[in-house]
Amino acid sequence: MSALDYYLVRPDPAGGARRARPEGLIVEEFVFAADHSAVRLHSAAWTPQDGGWWSSAAFSRTMRLDAALRARVAAVDRRDAAAAYRELGGGELPDEGTLRGHFDDSTPLATAPLPLTPGHPTAGFGETRVYRVLFADVLGPDGLAHLRTTWRMTVTGDAADPGARVLGVARRRVGDDAFTWHLRRIGAGGPWCLDLTVDLAGGRDDTVRPMLRELTTTLRMAGLLPVTVERFS
C-alpha cells in the first residue's frame, strides 16, 4: 500500500458532459503524533498547464469545504495516478520520497486528545483507545454495499433513515490486539466518521497505525475524503 494518498481532479461538468481526461493530480499525506492522532496534512498538486509541482495546502482545505470542488476529486491508487500523469504528459510519476519534497506548506490539525470515554481498559486488555477518523462527503448505497462485503460489516442502521447514526460495525483481531469500528453518520446530511476502538494486549501499539491506514484508505476509495484522525481516549 502506498504511503501517500492520490487524487485526480476532473473537469468541471457544468455546461457539458464530463470528459474522461483529468485536469491534474493531488498528492497528500497525513502526519501523525506518537499516539497516532493526525497533527498535519501535507499536499502537493500538478497540472500540465503549470508543468511542475506546487504545494497545495489551500486547495486541500478548500476541497474539504466546497462540495462542488469535492465532486470533481476522485481518489485513486498510485498505479492509476501514474497512468494519468503519463497521459497528461508528465512522464513517469516521481517516487514518494521525491513527491514529499514538494510539500512546502501544510495544514495544522488539532492534536489534543478528546476525553469523551472512560480511561479504563476493556477487561482482559492492558489499554483501550478510541480514535475517530472524520470524513467529508456522502457515502452512497454502492459504497455502503462495498464496505459490508469488504469488512463483513454487521448492518446496524438503515442509510435511508435520516435519523440513523451508526450504520455498521465490524471487528478484527491482529495478534493479541482487538479492533472494533463503527461507521457513523454525524447528523442528518452531515459528515461521516469511523470510530475505532483499539484494545491493546500489551505495551506496544505498532498495530494501530496500519489498521487506521487500511480502514481510512478503504473509505477514501469508497468516495469519502479524510479530514483528520482524532484520539478520544
Side-chain angles (χ1 to χ4, degrees):
M1 183 183 297
S2 298
L4 302 183
D5 295 337
Y6 297 88
Y7 300 90
L8 299 182
V9 182
R10 303 291 185 184
D12 189 341
R18 177 179 299 217
R19 303 190 307 272
R21 185 180 176 90
E23 289 187 343
L25 180 66
I26 304 291
V27 181
E28 294 187 336
E29 181 176 40
F30 284 94
V31 178
F32 294 91
D35 68 350
H36 311 296
S37 60
V39 295
R40 303 192 77 82
L41 175 61
H42 290 302
S43 58
W46 179 90
T47 64
Q49 290 81 7
D50 296 313
W53 289 89
W54 43 277
S55 191
S56 62
F59 187 92
S60 287
R61 287 193 295 270
T62 301
M63 73 182 193
R64 285 164 170 80
L65 297 171
D66 186 335
L69 175 58
R70 199 161 57 243
R72 297 169 52 202
V73 174
V76 294
D77 59 21
R78 180 176 167 86
R79 181 184 61 184
D80 289 341
Y85 190 68
R86 286 192 299 270
E87 178 188 2
L88 294 174
E92 292 302 313
L93 184 65
D95 62 49
E96 297 198 332
T98 301
L99 289 173
R100 287 189 181 92
H102 301 293
F103 294 155
D104 295 328
D105 63 354
S106 61
T107 300
L109 304 170
T111 59
L114 304 175
L116 301 182
T117 59
H120 55 80
T122 299
F125 292 91
E127 181 183 1
T128 295
R129 300 180 186 179
V130 178
Y131 293 89
R132 169 166 288 181
V133 188
L134 183 65
F135 296 88
D137 223 330
V138 176
L139 193 62
D142 290 344
L144 280 170
H146 173 71
L147 294 177
R148 288 166 181 164
T149 301
T150 302
W151 289 340
R152 298 180 180 177
M153 185 173 67
T154 300
V155 177
T156 58
D158 181 2
D161 177 5
R165 294 296 176 261
V166 178
L167 299 183
V169 60
R171 297 174 175 82
R172 188 186 303 173
R173 294 293 292 251
V174 179
D176 293 328
D177 300 333
F179 297 86
T180 303
W181 58 96
H182 293 80
L183 183 63
R184 186 184 302 270
R185 192 164 49 189
I186 305 175
W192 291 64
C193 69
L194 185 81
D195 288 344
L196 175 66
T197 300
V198 180
D199 292 315
L200 298 172
R204 297 176 61 89
D205 66 354
D206 50 317
T207 58
V208 175
R209 185 81 56 84
M211 181 61 71
L212 280 169
R213 173 65 177 169
E214 177 188 335
L215 298 179
T216 301
T217 298
T218 299
L219 282 169
R220 189 176 69 87
M221 298 301 289
L224 295 182
L225 185 63
V227 175
T228 191
V229 180
E230 301 170 322
R231 181 177 171 187
F232 279 16
S233 66

